Amino acid sequence: ALGGHKRFCDRGTWRCGWCACKFGECSGKGPGPDGPKTLCSACSSRFRNGHTGPPAVNEEGKFVCSHCSRGFHTIGALGGHKRFCDRGTWRCGWCACKFGECSGKGPGPDGPKTLCSACSSRFRNGHTGPPAVNEEGKFVCSHCSRGFHTIGALGGHKR
């Protein structure tokens, strides 16, 4: 076993040619434009799919989604996100909040993932639409008429 290790040991100096991750930080090595085992498995997958370099990195050092500009600590996390990225266009069918303004997506009358989690909770509890909104744009409690900036805050108030 030790002999096999010594044969391929690089003394911990190997880095991915694109993202510069260490061998211990990735799930393996793969082929790249500079030859075999020059990229981590995530970058190698990108290379095999036609990419010519790593994804863009923002000023915080995070990998940036080219569709919605969200940042991720690893290329793997970016890849997982891209499978479900809505290009920043998703809106809740009832309150019109964006994905980044809510705590998730849930089912609604128009199908799965059409409402934010707060509206989806209302839907599952028998409501047929969002709560009333006052002239200031706040969601109004049907019991005390107090206004709230978000449906989630209104839900917390009603508990």
Side-chain angles (χ1 to χ4, degrees):
L2 180 58
H5 168 80
K6 283 184 177 180
R7 224 169 94 204
F8 299 103
C9 182
D10 64 1
R11 294 182 174 24
T13 60
W14 183 88
R15 293 258 197 253
C16 172
W18 282 3
C19 72
C21 70
K22 296 178 184 177
F23 180 69
E25 299 170 344
C26 64
S27 59
K29 300 175 187 177
D34 298 326
K37 298 183 180 181
T38 57
L39 299 179
C40 68
S41 58
C43 289
S44 181
S45 177
R46 288 179 54 82
F47 173 69
R48 287 191 309 274
N49 287 319
H51 294 273
T52 58
V57 179
N58 66 13
E59 60 278 349
E60 298 170 1
K62 294 182 178 180
F63 296 101
V64 180
C65 175
S66 58
H67 301 304
C68 69
S69 301
R70 282 185 62 194
F72 298 89
H73 290 286
T74 65
I75 287 182
L78 172 63
H81 159 78
K82 282 190 145 186
R83 290 178 49 215
F84 302 103
C85 182
D86 61 7
R87 300 179 184 267
T89 60
W90 183 87
R91 298 282 187 275
C92 173
W94 282 4
C95 71
C97 70
K98 297 178 184 178
F99 179 71
E101 300 169 345
C102 65
S103 59
K105 300 175 187 176
D110 298 326
K113 298 182 180 180
T114 56
L115 299 179
C116 68
S117 58
C119 289
S120 181
S121 178
R122 288 179 54 83
F123 171 70
R124 289 190 310 273
N125 287 315
H127 294 275
T128 57
V133 178
N134 65 15
E135 60 280 347
E136 298 171 7
K138 294 182 178 180
F139 296 101
V140 180
C141 175
S142 58
H143 302 296
C144 69
S145 301
R146 187 172 163 197
F148 297 89
H149 290 288
T150 65
I151 289 180
L154 172 62
H157 160 76
K158 285 189 168 184
R159 286 190 192 108

